[in-house]
Amino acid sequence: MKIGFIGLGNVGGKLSGSLLRNGVDLSVHDLDAGLVQAMVDKGARDGGSPSQMMRECDAVITCLPSPAASAAVVEQMLPEVKEGKIWLEMSTTDASEIKRLAGLVHARGGAAVDCPVSGGCHRADTGNISIYAGCDRATFDRVLPVLTHMGRRILHVGELGNASVLKVMTNYLATANLLTLCEALTVMKAQGMDLGMTYEAIAMSSGTSFVHETESQLILSGSRDVNFTMDLIQKDIGLFQKLADDAAVPLEISPLMIAMMTDGQDRYGVRAQSDRMIERLEEATGLQILADGFPMELVDDEPEERGYEVKPRRLM
């Protein structure tokens, strides 16, 4: 199967790299010609344009920063969509928008999959990230071999749009965890606790989490560079709030998180790294939330393995 990949940023560059590393016939495209050339130097083909890629490839993957960017690319690809062609959306986007765009693809005989990823850029780099896939079962079976080159655990979540809803939820939870960890670490420092010991105490307790095991390390080392920016956080938690509003669910924590992230952007810049949120508390208290022995960047030390489908639990 010939695959096209559009969007070679922090996540897309790593996902496409996994495809190339595993011998997939790959064409790439990005507005940044330097990113395209770097992939070409590794063995990919320059896809030229979205329309050319849809014409020449069996499936085209998009991994872009906003719903508007995805819409613009899909509109360029549409004239080349026909029966047998597949569009896979790996961006974190609005479920209603992906359904709209997928409807345009279906009308021309093509198939569509929303398949966002979760697990951090360091796992995207090694093919060990997790992937949700929303589409009909027949389409899922067609794209599963491709997805297993990019992710370790692949979950078929039912109809198209479901994956985007679930991904927004997970990013909301991750952001809530980041903000509470910032507060927890700062309070422990104020109480005179050793922060290296505090990290281990959290890691071995009921308070641990994926976010603690990753972002807390980057906070404590002083790196504060998790490869995920505040504007992307705002997009994701805003999408979650929209889901709640559409369903008339009165949330209390979500609006506060949005306000806190807005303050972080006002202080450090719209595209500041999300784990710089700790600096709001450092400024407020005069404390430094740092400890020795933590890495400046995250590295996935799990060996790369071919991915597999995860079966959801069912009541018997």
Short mmCIF file of all heavy atoms in Angstrom, two decimals, residues 183-236:
data_model
loop_
_atom_site.label_atom_id
_atom_site.label_comp_id
_atom_site.label_asym_id
_atom_site.label_seq_id
_atom_site.Cartn_x
_atom_site.Cartn_y
_atom_site.Cartn_z
N GLU A 183 0.75 22.19 41.24
CA GLU A 183 0.39 22.63 42.58
C GLU A 183 0.96 21.70 43.65
O GLU A 183 1.48 22.16 44.69
CB GLU A 183 -1.14 22.71 42.69
CG GLU A 183 -1.73 23.80 41.80
CD GLU A 183 -3.21 24.05 42.05
OE1 GLU A 183 -3.85 23.21 42.75
OE2 GLU A 183 -3.72 25.06 41.55
N ALA A 184 0.90 20.39 43.40
CA ALA A 184 1.39 19.43 44.39
C ALA A 184 2.90 19.60 44.61
O ALA A 184 3.37 19.62 45.77
CB ALA A 184 1.08 18.01 43.94
N LEU A 185 3.67 19.72 43.54
CA LEU A 185 5.11 19.85 43.67
C LEU A 185 5.48 21.15 44.39
O LEU A 185 6.41 21.18 45.20
CB LEU A 185 5.77 19.80 42.29
CG LEU A 185 5.73 18.44 41.58
CD1 LEU A 185 6.21 18.58 40.15
CD2 LEU A 185 6.55 17.39 42.33
N THR A 186 4.74 22.22 44.08
CA THR A 186 5.04 23.50 44.72
C THR A 186 4.72 23.46 46.22
O THR A 186 5.50 23.96 47.05
CB THR A 186 4.24 24.63 44.05
OG1 THR A 186 4.54 24.64 42.64
CG2 THR A 186 4.61 25.99 44.63
N VAL A 187 3.61 22.86 46.59
CA VAL A 187 3.27 22.76 48.01
C VAL A 187 4.30 21.90 48.75
O VAL A 187 4.71 22.23 49.88
CB VAL A 187 1.84 22.19 48.19
CG1 VAL A 187 1.56 21.88 49.65
CG2 VAL A 187 0.80 23.18 47.66
N MET A 188 4.75 20.82 48.14
CA MET A 188 5.76 19.98 48.78
C MET A 188 7.07 20.74 48.98
O MET A 188 7.72 20.62 50.01
CB MET A 188 6.00 18.71 47.96
CG MET A 188 4.82 17.74 47.95
SD MET A 188 4.31 17.16 49.61
CE MET A 188 2.92 18.28 49.95
N LYS A 189 7.45 21.54 47.98
CA LYS A 189 8.66 22.36 48.11
C LYS A 189 8.49 23.36 49.25
O LYS A 189 9.40 23.55 50.08
CB LYS A 189 8.93 23.09 46.81
CG LYS A 189 10.12 24.04 46.84
CD LYS A 189 11.44 23.31 46.93
CE LYS A 189 12.61 24.28 46.78
NZ LYS A 189 13.91 23.58 46.78
N ALA A 190 7.31 23.99 49.32
CA ALA A 190 7.04 24.96 50.38
C ALA A 190 7.07 24.31 51.76
O ALA A 190 7.38 24.97 52.76
CB ALA A 190 5.70 25.65 50.13
N GLN A 191 6.75 23.02 51.82
CA GLN A 191 6.77 22.29 53.09
C GLN A 191 8.15 21.70 53.41
O GLN A 191 8.30 20.99 54.41
CB GLN A 191 5.73 21.17 53.05
CG GLN A 191 4.29 21.66 53.14
CD GLN A 191 3.97 22.24 54.51
OE1 GLN A 191 4.50 21.80 55.53
NE2 GLN A 191 3.10 23.24 54.54
N GLY A 192 9.12 22.00 52.57
CA GLY A 192 10.48 21.56 52.85
C GLY A 192 10.81 20.16 52.39
O GLY A 192 11.86 19.62 52.75
N MET A 193 9.95 19.56 51.59
CA MET A 193 10.21 18.21 51.11
C MET A 193 11.24 18.21 49.99
O MET A 193 11.27 19.11 49.16
CB MET A 193 8.91 17.57 50.59
CG MET A 193 7.87 17.32 51.66
SD MET A 193 8.42 16.05 52.82
CE MET A 193 7.02 16.06 53.96
N ASP A 194 12.09 17.20 49.98
CA ASP A 194 13.02 16.99 48.88
C ASP A 194 12.21 16.60 47.64
O ASP A 194 11.39 15.66 47.69
CB ASP A 194 14.01 15.88 49.24
CG ASP A 194 14.94 15.54 48.09
OD1 ASP A 194 15.98 16.21 47.97
OD2 ASP A 194 14.59 14.63 47.31
N LEU A 195 12.42 17.29 46.53
CA LEU A 195 11.57 17.06 45.36
C LEU A 195 11.92 15.77 44.62
O LEU A 195 11.06 15.19 43.96
CB LEU A 195 11.62 18.26 44.42
CG LEU A 195 10.92 19.51 44.96
CD1 LEU A 195 10.98 20.65 43.95
CD2 LEU A 195 9.46 19.22 45.35
N GLY A 196 13.16 15.32 44.72
CA GLY A 196 13.48 14.01 44.15
C GLY A 196 12.73 12.91 44.88
O GLY A 196 12.17 12.00 44.28
N MET A 197 12.72 13.01 46.20
CA MET A 197 11.96 12.05 47.01
C MET A 197 10.46 12.18 46.74
O MET A 197 9.75 11.17 46.65
CB MET A 197 12.24 12.29 48.49
CG MET A 197 11.49 11.34 49.43
SD MET A 197 11.73 11.79 51.16
CE MET A 197 10.82 13.34 51.24
N THR A 198 10.00 13.42 46.60
CA THR A 198 8.58 13.65 46.32
C THR A 198 8.17 12.98 45.01
O THR A 198 7.11 12.36 44.93
CB THR A 198 8.29 15.15 46.25
OG1 THR A 198 8.57 15.74 47.53
CG2 THR A 198 6.84 15.42 45.88
N TYR A 199 9.04 13.10 44.00
CA TYR A 199 8.74 12.46 42.71
C TYR A 199 8.53 10.96 42.91
O TYR A 199 7.56 10.39 42.41
CB TYR A 199 9.87 12.70 41.71
CG TYR A 199 9.67 11.94 40.42
CD1 TYR A 199 8.92 12.48 39.38
CD2 TYR A 199 10.17 10.65 40.27
CE1 TYR A 199 8.70 11.76 38.21
CE2 TYR A 199 9.95 9.91 39.11
CZ TYR A 199 9.21 10.48 38.08
OH TYR A 199 8.98 9.76 36.93
N GLU A 200 9.43 10.32 43.65
CA GLU A 200 9.32 8.88 43.85
C GLU A 200 8.10 8.52 44.69
O GLU A 200 7.45 7.50 44.45
CB GLU A 200 10.59 8.34 44.52
CG GLU A 200 11.85 8.50 43.68
CD GLU A 200 11.79 7.78 42.34
OE1 GLU A 200 10.94 6.86 42.16
OE2 GLU A 200 12.58 8.14 41.45
N ALA A 201 7.77 9.36 45.65
CA ALA A 201 6.60 9.10 46.49
C ALA A 201 5.33 9.11 45.66
O ALA A 201 4.44 8.28 45.84
CB ALA A 201 6.51 10.15 47.61
N ILE A 202 5.25 10.07 44.73
CA ILE A 202 4.07 10.11 43.85
C ILE A 202 4.08 8.90 42.92
O ILE A 202 3.06 8.24 42.73
CB ILE A 202 4.05 11.41 43.03
CG1 ILE A 202 3.92 12.63 43.95
CG2 ILE A 202 2.90 11.38 42.02
CD1 ILE A 202 4.10 13.96 43.23
N ALA A 203 5.26 8.59 42.36
CA ALA A 203 5.35 7.52 41.36
C ALA A 203 4.94 6.16 41.91
O ALA A 203 4.44 5.31 41.16
CB ALA A 203 6.77 7.45 40.80
N MET A 204 5.13 5.93 43.21
CA MET A 204 4.80 4.63 43.79
C MET A 204 3.43 4.62 44.48
O MET A 204 3.08 3.66 45.15
CB MET A 204 5.88 4.21 44.79
CG MET A 204 6.01 5.12 45.99
SD MET A 204 7.43 4.70 47.05
CE MET A 204 6.87 3.16 47.79
N SER A 205 2.67 5.69 44.26
CA SER A 205 1.42 5.84 45.01
C SER A 205 0.19 5.83 44.11
O SER A 205 0.29 5.75 42.88
CB SER A 205 1.44 7.17 45.77
OG SER A 205 1.20 8.24 44.86
N SER A 206 -0.97 5.96 44.74
CA SER A 206 -2.22 6.07 43.99
C SER A 206 -2.32 7.39 43.24
O SER A 206 -3.19 7.56 42.38
CB SER A 206 -3.41 5.94 44.94
OG SER A 206 -3.37 6.95 45.95
N GLY A 207 -1.41 8.33 43.51
CA GLY A 207 -1.43 9.62 42.83
C GLY A 207 -0.62 9.65 41.55
O GLY A 207 -0.56 10.68 40.89
N THR A 208 -0.02 8.52 41.18
CA THR A 208 0.84 8.54 40.00
C THR A 208 0.02 8.54 38.72
O THR A 208 -1.20 8.29 38.72
CB THR A 208 1.82 7.37 39.99
OG1 THR A 208 2.86 7.64 39.03
CG2 THR A 208 1.11 6.06 39.63
N SER A 209 0.69 8.81 37.60
CA SER A 209 0.01 8.89 36.30
C SER A 209 1.05 8.95 35.21
O SER A 209 2.25 9.16 35.46
CB SER A 209 -0.85 10.15 36.23
OG SER A 209 -0.02 11.31 36.27
N PHE A 210 0.59 8.81 33.98
CA PHE A 210 1.48 8.98 32.83
C PHE A 210 2.08 10.38 32.81
O PHE A 210 3.27 10.57 32.54
CB PHE A 210 0.70 8.72 31.54
CG PHE A 210 1.50 9.00 30.30
CD1 PHE A 210 2.39 8.07 29.81
CD2 PHE A 210 1.35 10.20 29.62
CE1 PHE A 210 3.14 8.33 28.66
CE2 PHE A 210 2.09 10.47 28.47
CZ PHE A 210 2.99 9.53 28.00
N VAL A 211 1.26 11.39 33.11
CA VAL A 211 1.75 12.76 33.10
C VAL A 211 2.84 12.96 34.15
O VAL A 211 3.86 13.62 33.90
CB VAL A 211 0.59 13.76 33.31
CG1 VAL A 211 1.11 15.19 33.42
CG2 VAL A 211 -0.40 13.66 32.16
N HIS A 212 2.65 12.39 35.34
CA HIS A 212 3.70 12.50 36.36
C HIS A 212 4.98 11.85 35.90
O HIS A 212 6.07 12.42 36.05
CB HIS A 212 3.24 11.87 37.67
CG HIS A 212 4.32 11.82 38.70
ND1 HIS A 212 4.90 12.97 39.20
CD2 HIS A 212 4.96 10.78 39.31
CE1 HIS A 212 5.83 12.64 40.08
NE2 HIS A 212 5.90 11.32 40.15
N GLU A 213 4.90 10.67 35.34
CA GLU A 213 6.09 9.92 34.94
C GLU A 213 6.82 10.57 33.78
O GLU A 213 7.98 10.24 33.52
CB GLU A 213 5.70 8.49 34.61
CG GLU A 213 5.21 7.71 35.84
CD GLU A 213 4.58 6.38 35.49
OE1 GLU A 213 4.55 6.04 34.28
OE2 GLU A 213 4.12 5.68 36.41
N THR A 214 6.16 11.49 33.09
CA THR A 214 6.81 12.18 31.96
C THR A 214 7.04 13.65 32.29
O THR A 214 8.18 14.08 32.50
CB THR A 214 5.96 12.03 30.69
OG1 THR A 214 4.61 12.49 30.94
CG2 THR A 214 5.90 10.58 30.24
N GLU A 215 5.99 14.43 32.39
CA GLU A 215 6.13 15.88 32.50
C GLU A 215 6.73 16.32 33.84
O GLU A 215 7.45 17.34 33.90
CB GLU A 215 4.80 16.58 32.25
CG GLU A 215 4.31 16.37 30.81
CD GLU A 215 3.26 17.37 30.40
OE1 GLU A 215 3.49 18.58 30.55
OE2 GLU A 215 2.19 16.92 29.95
N SER A 216 6.46 15.63 34.91
CA SER A 216 7.08 16.00 36.18
C SER A 216 8.60 15.97 36.08
O SER A 216 9.30 16.80 36.68
CB SER A 216 6.60 15.08 37.31
OG SER A 216 5.27 15.35 37.66
N GLN A 217 9.13 15.02 35.33
CA GLN A 217 10.58 14.93 35.16
C GLN A 217 11.13 16.16 34.45
O GLN A 217 12.20 16.68 34.81
CB GLN A 217 10.95 13.67 34.39
CG GLN A 217 10.60 12.37 35.10
CD GLN A 217 11.33 11.20 34.51
OE1 GLN A 217 12.56 11.09 34.62
NE2 GLN A 217 10.59 10.32 33.87
N LEU A 218 10.40 16.63 33.45
CA LEU A 218 10.86 17.79 32.70
C LEU A 218 10.69 19.09 33.49
O LEU A 218 11.46 20.04 33.32
CB LEU A 218 10.11 17.89 31.37
CG LEU A 218 10.29 16.71 30.42
CD1 LEU A 218 9.48 16.91 29.15
CD2 LEU A 218 11.76 16.51 30.08
N ILE A 219 9.70 19.13 34.35
CA ILE A 219 9.55 20.27 35.26
C ILE A 219 10.73 20.31 36.23
O ILE A 219 11.38 21.35 36.41
CB ILE A 219 8.22 20.18 36.02
CG1 ILE A 219 7.04 20.49 35.08
CG2 ILE A 219 8.21 21.12 37.22
CD1 ILE A 219 5.68 20.22 35.68
N LEU A 220 11.03 19.18 36.85
CA LEU A 220 12.07 19.14 37.88
C LEU A 220 13.47 19.34 37.31
O LEU A 220 14.34 19.90 37.98
CB LEU A 220 11.98 17.82 38.64
CG LEU A 220 10.71 17.65 39.50
CD1 LEU A 220 10.60 16.24 40.04
CD2 LEU A 220 10.69 18.67 40.65
N SER A 221 13.70 18.91 36.07
CA SER A 221 15.03 19.11 35.47
C SER A 221 15.24 20.55 35.03
O SER A 221 16.37 20.98 34.82
CB SER A 221 15.19 18.20 34.25
OG SER A 221 14.39 18.65 33.16
N GLY A 222 14.14 21.30 34.88
CA GLY A 222 14.23 22.67 34.38
C GLY A 222 14.07 22.77 32.89
O GLY A 222 14.06 23.87 32.33
N SER A 223 13.95 21.64 32.21
CA SER A 223 13.79 21.64 30.75
C SER A 223 12.50 22.34 30.33
O SER A 223 12.50 23.21 29.48
CB SER A 223 13.80 20.20 30.22
OG SER A 223 13.27 20.14 28.91
N ARG A 224 11.39 21.90 30.92
CA ARG A 224 10.06 22.45 30.63
C ARG A 224 9.78 22.46 29.12
O ARG A 224 9.20 23.40 28.58
CB ARG A 224 9.89 23.85 31.23
CG ARG A 224 9.63 23.81 32.76
CD ARG A 224 10.86 24.15 33.54
NE ARG A 224 10.79 23.83 34.97
CZ ARG A 224 10.65 24.73 35.93
NH1 ARG A 224 10.52 26.01 35.67
NH2 ARG A 224 10.67 24.35 37.19
N ASP A 225 10.18 21.38 28.44
CA ASP A 225 9.98 21.28 27.00
C ASP A 225 9.47 19.88 26.66
O ASP A 225 10.22 18.97 26.38
CB ASP A 225 11.28 21.56 26.25
CG ASP A 225 11.10 21.56 24.74
OD1 ASP A 225 9.97 21.30 24.27
OD2 ASP A 225 12.08 21.83 24.02
N VAL A 226 8.14 19.74 26.69
CA VAL A 226 7.52 18.43 26.47
C VAL A 226 7.08 18.26 25.02
O VAL A 226 6.43 17.28 24.67
CB VAL A 226 6.33 18.24 27.43
CG1 VAL A 226 5.14 19.11 27.02
CG2 VAL A 226 5.93 16.77 27.56
N ASN A 227 7.43 19.22 24.16
CA ASN A 227 7.02 19.16 22.75
C ASN A 227 5.52 19.28 22.57
O ASN A 227 4.94 18.70 21.65
CB ASN A 227 7.52 17.86 22.08
CG ASN A 227 8.79 18.07 21.30
OD1 ASN A 227 9.04 19.14 20.76
ND2 ASN A 227 9.62 17.04 21.24
N PHE A 228 4.87 20.03 23.47
CA PHE A 228 3.44 20.27 23.34
C PHE A 228 3.15 21.67 23.87
O PHE A 228 3.44 21.96 25.03
CB PHE A 228 2.63 19.23 24.11
CG PHE A 228 1.23 19.05 23.59
CD1 PHE A 228 1.00 18.45 22.36
CD2 PHE A 228 0.14 19.48 24.32
CE1 PHE A 228 -0.29 18.29 21.86
CE2 PHE A 228 -1.15 19.32 23.84
CZ PHE A 228 -1.36 18.72 22.61
N THR A 229 2.62 22.52 23.01
CA THR A 229 2.53 23.93 23.32
C THR A 229 1.16 24.32 23.88
O THR A 229 0.17 23.62 23.71
CB THR A 229 2.83 24.77 22.07
OG1 THR A 229 2.01 24.31 20.98
CG2 THR A 229 4.30 24.63 21.68
N MET A 230 1.12 25.50 24.51
CA MET A 230 -0.10 25.94 25.18
C MET A 230 -1.25 26.17 24.21
O MET A 230 -2.42 25.96 24.56
CB MET A 230 0.17 27.21 25.99
CG MET A 230 1.07 26.98 27.20
SD MET A 230 1.17 28.46 28.24
CE MET A 230 2.45 27.97 29.39
N ASP A 231 -0.94 26.59 22.99
CA ASP A 231 -2.03 26.80 22.02
C ASP A 231 -2.71 25.47 21.67
O ASP A 231 -3.93 25.43 21.47
CB ASP A 231 -1.54 27.52 20.77
CG ASP A 231 -0.45 26.76 20.03
OD1 ASP A 231 0.40 26.13 20.69
OD2 ASP A 231 -0.43 26.80 18.79
N LEU A 232 -1.93 24.40 21.61
CA LEU A 232 -2.53 23.09 21.34
C LEU A 232 -3.35 22.62 22.54
O LEU A 232 -4.42 22.01 22.37
CB LEU A 232 -1.43 22.08 21.01
CG LEU A 232 -0.65 22.35 19.72
CD1 LEU A 232 0.44 21.31 19.52
CD2 LEU A 232 -1.58 22.40 18.50
N ILE A 233 -2.85 22.88 23.75
CA ILE A 233 -3.62 22.56 24.94
C ILE A 233 -4.95 23.30 24.92
O ILE A 233 -6.02 22.72 25.17
CB ILE A 233 -2.85 22.96 26.21
CG1 ILE A 233 -1.65 22.03 26.43
CG2 ILE A 233 -3.77 22.96 27.44
CD1 ILE A 233 -1.95 20.73 27.11
N GLN A 234 -4.91 24.59 24.62
CA GLN A 234 -6.13 25.39 24.60
C GLN A 234 -7.12 24.87 23.56
O GLN A 234 -8.33 24.84 23.80
CB GLN A 234 -5.81 26.86 24.31
CG GLN A 234 -5.22 27.61 25.49
CD GLN A 234 -6.27 27.96 26.54
OE1 GLN A 234 -7.10 27.14 26.92
NE2 GLN A 234 -6.21 29.17 27.04
N LYS A 235 -6.60 24.47 22.41
CA LYS A 235 -7.49 23.91 21.38
C LYS A 235 -8.19 22.66 21.92
O LYS A 235 -9.41 22.52 21.80
CB LYS A 235 -6.69 23.54 20.13
CG LYS A 235 -7.53 22.90 19.02
CD LYS A 235 -6.66 22.19 17.99
CE LYS A 235 -5.99 20.96 18.53
NZ LYS A 235 -5.29 20.14 17.52
N ASP A 236 -7.43 21.78 22.56
CA ASP A 236 -7.98 20.50 23.00
C ASP A 236 -8.97 20.65 24.15
O ASP A 236 -10.05 20.05 24.14
CB ASP A 236 -6.85 19.55 23.40
CG ASP A 236 -5.97 19.16 22.22
OD1 ASP A 236 -6.36 19.45 21.07
OD2 ASP A 236 -4.90 18.58 22.44
#
